[in-house]
Amino acid sequence: MDAILSTTTFKSRIMGTSVNVSLTIRNTHEATMEFTLFGAAYTFAVTRWSRKGLSSFLLLFFTYKCREAADFGSLTVDDNGVPTFNMTTAQKVNAVIQGAKDVMACVDEIGTRHQRSVLDYAVWYREKHTCWDTYENYITMLACNCIVHTDFLAPGVTWELVTFGKVNR
């Protein structure tokens, strides 16, 4: 298992409820967000921006809006269009923390808008929106991945097995 680079906590809102999020960032920049909502514990794992995926994330992160260089470092693009990130490790961690906060904010937006259909929406979004070319699309896809992978706010249903040929006719 990769070493832990940073741990922090932050407050977020989900569907009008304040939650405390424990964020762990590994040295690969994989992020794990743990929180409890309505008595259920959830763990959102974001691996998309880890390892080689970090540069794709950072490129979208910096092109989304102007970022404070002291907190996040900077991005320069040369005449050939090659990006260079001028960032310390702490500034990369700050970018991942902001990305995690943005994922949680997106989960809140989805939950507020779609309430009991959060999981259905996340599945639909992943099927219909496969382009990750903007920060908004990227964060929304990460939020939807987190929702789907944790069965977030899914109803507690016990399923009775139905097998073809076993039904009384």
Side-chain angles (χ1 to χ4, degrees):
M1 186 168 245
D2 296 311
I4 293 174
L5 187 59
S6 177
T7 59
T8 189
T9 58
F10 62 89
K11 286 202 178 291
S12 187
R13 293 196 67 75
I14 300 179
M15 298 172 61
T17 301
S18 180
V19 295
N20 292 316
V21 180
S22 296
L23 173 63
T24 302
I25 303 169
R26 302 210 169 273
N27 65 357
T28 59
H29 297 98
E30 176 182 329
T32 305
M33 296 168 273
E34 297 176 311
F35 62 96
T36 301
L37 179 66
F38 306 134
Y42 293 98
T43 301
F44 287 174
V46 178
T47 59
R48 177 65 70 176
W49 57 45
S50 67
R51 301 189 196 279
K52 293 181 180 180
L54 184 64
S55 60
S56 298
F57 163 69
L58 291 174
L59 186 60
L60 295 173
F61 180 80
F62 281 110
T63 56
Y64 172 62
K65 69 178 189 179
C66 187
R67 304 287 185 172
E68 183 63 44
D71 294 331
F72 300 109
S74 63
L75 164 69
T76 55
V77 180
D78 69 15
D79 294 337
N80 296 320
V82 177
T84 301
F85 302 103
N86 306 304
M87 305 173 75
T88 65
T89 299
Q91 290 168 328
K92 290 177 185 175
V93 166
N94 288 343
V96 171
I97 291 170
Q98 184 59 55
K101 289 178 178 180
D102 292 342
V103 167
M104 293 302 291
C106 187
V107 169
D108 177 47
E109 289 178 36
I110 294 168
T112 299
R113 177 78 57 88
H114 297 286
Q115 299 178 1
R116 290 184 289 176
S117 300
V118 170
L119 186 55
D120 292 333
Y121 174 82
V123 170
W124 171 83
Y125 186 92
R126 289 174 7 141
E127 289 174 357
K128 300 295 182 189
H129 299 88
T130 57
C131 187
W132 299 48
D133 61 345
T134 66
Y135 187 73
E136 296 94 322
N137 292 345
Y138 185 88
I139 291 298
T140 304
M141 184 60 76
L142 293 179
C144 288
N145 284 344
C146 290
I147 290 168
V148 170
H149 294 162
T150 60
D151 290 332
F152 185 67
L153 296 179
V157 176
T158 303
W159 298 104
E160 179 183 338
L161 180 63
V162 175
T163 304
F164 177 75
K166 303 272 184 186
V167 178
N168 294 333
R169 296 175 204 242

